[in-house]
Amino acid sequence: MPEKVNLMGMSQGRMEAFFESLGEKKFRAAQLLKWIHQMGVSDFQQMSNISKALRNRLGEVAEIRAPEVIEQLDSSDGTRKFLIRVGGGNAIEAVFIPEGERGTLCVSSQVGCSLDCSFCSTGKQGFNRDLTSDEIIGQVWIAAKSFGQLQEDGGRGDRKVTNVVLMGMGEPLLNFENVVESMHLMMNDNGYGISKRRVTLSTSGVVPALDRLGKYTDACLAISLHAPNDELRNQLVPINKKYPIAQLLDSARRYIEGLPDSHRKITIEYTLIDQLNDRPEHAHELAELLKDVPVKINLIPFNPFSLSNYKRVSNNAMYRFQQILIDAGYTTTIRTTRGDDIDAACGQLAGQVNDRTKRSQRYKLDQVALMSAEDGVIPVKIVNQ
Ligand code: SAH
Ligand code: SF4
């Protein structure tokens, strides 16, 4: 029997094509999207506005399947972490962080990461594969469902996914097509209907892919900078050797300036590591570097993990760093560590990755070049929302 097609991660455009291939009208796609992403229904027989014949047909050729949750962990501060099975002995993580009215879900885009940043535990685990769009949007579905949010009235629970950040495991721009397709579902009114100002893609700087991003989405952008000059950034974020800071900031600026609404800002993420990038001269250099770029700055105290010798920044150094940037006129926030007791803080997301890159043949910049060289090398199938 041919494998059933999973509708979980299909954007509206792809789902319309799917219905047309069944000889059905396109508007069915919007109905299906609502059943899946707004009401959390995965059984076609429950879809009351769809004829019995079509429900049966769908049951034969299609399915709605989220990945399987292995474990759900709740932190004392309300943070909830999901460990999710993705086959081949691999697992990924998604983390929900409540903050007043806001509920941010941090979503993974790959099983592991090939970019090997020296301060990141995901990077230290190697890379296995890209997540499918079913697995990416499936994380939102799983979290929303766990809060009873997926009901006709939007649910009445006190927790709700209002924001999504692609800051979990993996480099989203190296899984361009699937990430963009799932972002469409997050933002589509028939999907989760999250505003473009509440969906953020974070990248360590795959410039050729970033150059193309604006054609496909108008979501928010975060750049993982972590250093004010190339010499230091080369040590922390190896992809910088391929795409140095000036190129990265130019590309980010073009993205943000290409958005139709003005006053959007790029978020600069800067992980502060003790004695490495946390000195006042680094802060001054950063202020100078960013002076012509529309940014706000988010400082992240380094979260230690077992495979790393780096240490967390001292509070003194962190507040001094922040003050220099504020004095220079930048909106500068500090990301407080959340979910520490369940290893859910930034950079602690480890999941379970069966490395296929053989770390001995360390990478991998060649691979990136290949994947992102020219338009068309990254295959793009998504056309619209
Ligand atoms: N690959 C993307 C998105 C995932 S990483 C990127 O690099 O942007 C999400 C954020 O967590 C990045 O800013 C990353 O630099 C930061 N991070 C990774 N490891 C960390 C650690 N140990 N402590 C604090 N922040 C970390
Ligand atoms: Fe990959 Fe981001 Fe971690 Fe770097 S910081 S290894 S790009 S997940």
Side-chain angles (χ1 to χ4, degrees):
M1 228 175 46
E3 217 176 291
K4 291 184 175 181
V5 37
N6 191 356
L7 306 185
M8 173 62 71
M10 264 194 198
S11 63
Q12 186 159 340
R14 199 148 67 90
M15 189 134 19
E16 285 172 356
F18 165 75
F19 275 105
E20 283 182 316
S21 77
L22 294 182
E24 292 289 334
K25 293 270 188 309
K26 283 209 288 207
F27 75 89
R28 295 285 176 206
Q31 291 180 320
L32 251 288
L33 247 47
K34 285 183 183 155
W35 281 112
I36 302 171
H37 301 292
Q38 298 184 358
M39 284 167 297
V41 170
S42 52
D43 174 5
F44 296 114
Q45 293 306 333
Q46 287 180 33
M47 301 182 177
S48 50
N49 56 359
I50 295 190
S51 72
K52 182 113 184 78
L54 180 54
R55 292 197 309 244
N56 289 343
R57 180 82 201 282
L58 285 172
E60 283 162 18
V61 297
E63 61 181 348
I64 297 164
R65 188 164 42 82
E68 181 196 343
V69 178
I70 304 169
E71 198 178 14
Q72 179 181 307
L73 290 164
D74 283 308
S75 159
S76 52
D77 65 13
T79 300
R80 175 172 285 182
K81 180 164 95 167
F82 303 89
L83 187 65
I84 295 169
R85 197 187 312 281
V86 287
N90 295 298
I92 52 143
E93 298 183 347
V95 180
F96 175 82
I97 306 144
E99 216 176 343
E101 295 286 288
R102 182 195 293 205
T104 303
L105 186 69
C106 178
V107 166
S108 294
S109 57
Q110 296 183 307
V111 184
C113 185
S114 57
L115 293 184
D116 201 20
C117 299
S118 59
F119 55 90
C120 172
S121 79
T122 301
K124 291 285 156 228
Q125 291 203 91
F127 172 75
N128 185 279
R129 69 169 173 87
D130 288 336
L131 292 177
T132 63
S133 60
D134 307 316
E135 291 164 334
I136 300 171
I137 203 69
Q139 297 167 59
V140 183
W141 193 85
I142 284 167
K145 214 163 156 81
S146 84
F147 300 129
Q149 180 184 332
L150 299 186
Q151 293 165 26
E152 232 154 318
D153 60 0
R156 303 198 180 283
D158 55 350
R159 287 190 278 184
K160 206 173 177 149
V161 179
T162 61
N163 295 54
V164 179
V165 293
L166 282 140
M167 294 185 189
M169 298 167 68
E171 168 48 55
L173 289 185
L174 287 180
N175 184 12
F176 194 90
E177 173 192 331
N178 295 335
V179 161
V180 168
E181 183 163 22
S182 32
M183 284 166 82
H184 283 166
L185 285 169
M186 293 167 199
M187 291 156 61
N188 188 322
D189 282 341
N190 296 315
Y192 296 87
I194 303 177
S195 121
K196 59 189 174 188
R197 290 172 179 272
R198 290 168 174 259
V199 174
T200 303
L201 180 145
S202 170
T203 181
S204 58
V206 189
V207 167
L210 180 55
D211 283 343
R212 306 169 63 233
L213 188 66
K215 285 191 214 154
Y216 301 98
T217 187
D218 53 3
C220 298
L221 178 67
I223 298 289
S224 288
L225 195 62
H226 312 306
N229 60 60
D230 285 324
E231 198 189 341
L232 189 51
R233 192 164 194 266
N234 287 346
Q235 288 173 38
L236 295 171
V237 185
I239 196 179
N240 194 68
K241 294 180 204 147
K242 181 113 200 129
Y243 306 115
I245 293 176
Q247 277 184 37
L248 174 57
L249 290 180
D250 267 359
S251 174
R253 191 198 286 113
R254 281 196 301 273
Y255 174 81
I256 220 77
E257 287 173 358
L259 299 178
D261 47 340
S262 49
H263 307 308
R264 298 276 292 274
K265 288 195 166 158
I266 303 160
T267 302
I268 297 290
E269 296 166 277
Y270 193 106
T271 297
L272 284 163
I273 305 169
D274 182 48
Q275 306 289 322
L276 198 79
N277 62 357
D278 64 344
R279 303 205 180 100
E281 55 268 33
H282 295 130
H284 288 295
E285 200 179 352
L286 186 63
E288 180 63 22
L289 177 72
L290 298 173
K291 69 177 188 303
D292 297 322
V293 195
V295 296
K296 55 189 178 193
I297 301 171
N298 193 212
L299 301 174
I300 314 168
F302 170 71
N303 288 308
F305 57 93
S306 55
L307 293 172
S308 164
N309 295 326
Y310 294 149
K311 292 198 186 64
R312 188 187 188 283
V313 62
S314 70
N315 282 348
N316 264 348
M318 180 168 72
Y319 292 124
R320 188 176 56 193
F321 201 95
Q322 181 187 31
Q323 197 55 53
I324 292 169
L325 293 171
I326 290 175
D327 291 344
Y330 294 95
T331 304
T332 310
T333 49
I334 292 176
R335 192 182 297 170
T336 49
T337 299
R338 301 288 301 272
D340 214 11
D341 53 340
I342 54 168
D343 276 356
C346 272
Q348 288 182 333
L349 299 191
Q352 174 65 47
V353 179
N354 292 319
D355 184 18
R356 290 173 42 182
T357 58
K358 306 236 177 21
R359 292 257 108 160
S360 56
Q361 307 163 13
R362 282 234 171 150
Y363 186 1
K364 265 153 274 267
L365 289 177
D366 297 349
Q367 214 170 307
V368 178
L370 199 82
M371 292 164 83
S372 54
E374 290 298 330
D375 259 12
V377 175
I378 303 170
V380 171
K381 67 182 178 221
I382 331 99
V383 194
N384 60 31
Q385 300 208 10

